[in-house]
Amino acid sequence: RALKTREIIVANGENIPIPSVSWDDVVLPQGLAEDIRANVSGFFQSRERYRELGIPYRRGFLFTGPPGCGKTLTLKALANTTPFTFITVLNRGGMAEQHLEADIGHAFYLAEKHSPAIVLFEDLDKLVQSKYISLSHFLNILDGLKVMDGVLVIATTNDPGALDPALLHRPSRFDRVWRFSLPKCEQRLALLARKGTRYFSKIVLEEAAHHSDGFSMAYVQEII
């Protein structure tokens, strides 16, 4: 059952209003957004199938790729368009970092309480490399020492190479990995046209798209 309030529950801080980001705001390679959306909705529609197969009803998705290429924006669009509870843990650093293990445990407690739910971990590599959290403790939670029914974990990382292989090579930890690459010319042009058509001619926008190879989407937006 989804919460009536449209907020992302923060396990270690004040709740965050769900941003009004639609899928029209997300410019990704063809098929990527559709594949992610289909997998998210497919998970939440498959409770009975999981039970029939006798497998734990939980999954993990991982978004990888350089900063500014749409990982966080995709999470925002999911949060705004998926009618389930969203829960996250903020990695604040400093003294607050000492409580990360308890904060993560609390996030999963809330997810179980409000199931079906999605737990979000941004910058997973930094989270699990903290000196205040044990990788084995994090893995034990994901593996379900206490079974979490109807919980989907979605994490992001800019540096998948920094993740311990144990996070990726066992079912129900992170089953699917999507790569958010630097945008190709057609993606850059789509964003430039969306943001700049009222100011610039089509020729100018096409020129900017061709000359911005290697830019992240965040930097492409700054061109306007």
Side-chain angles (χ1 to χ4, degrees), residues 188 192 200 204-205 208-209 211-212 215-224:
R188 300 195 299 272
L192 289 167
F200 304 106
V204 168
L205 294 172
H211 285 285
S212 54
F215 281 40
S216 70
M217 290 300 261
Y219 276 113
V220 170
Q221 183 166 273
E222 292 299 311
I223 293 174
I224 300 300

Side-chain angles (χ1 to χ4, degrees), residues 65-141:
C69 289
K71 298 188 297 297
T72 297
L73 199 62
T74 297
L75 290 179
K76 290 178 179 180
L78 275 173
N80 190 39
T81 59
T82 306
F84 300 113
T85 306
F86 279 74
I87 299 155
T88 193
V89 173
L90 301 180
N91 191 353
R92 302 180 184 278
M95 292 296 292
E97 195 176 6
Q98 296 180 21
H99 306 290
L100 269 177
E101 277 200 0
D103 294 338
I104 291 170
H106 186 53
F108 282 105
Y109 163 78
L110 292 170
E112 182 185 28
K113 180 180 177 181
H114 296 293
S115 173
I118 297 177
V119 180
L120 306 176
F121 293 115
E122 288 206 82
D123 297 318
L124 179 65
D125 51 310
K126 296 177 182 177
L127 189 71
V128 298
Q129 288 171 358
S130 166
K131 64 180 180 179
Y132 294 108
I133 185 166
S134 157
L135 178 61
S136 61
H137 176 79
F138 188 76
L139 293 177
N140 284 340
I141 295 177

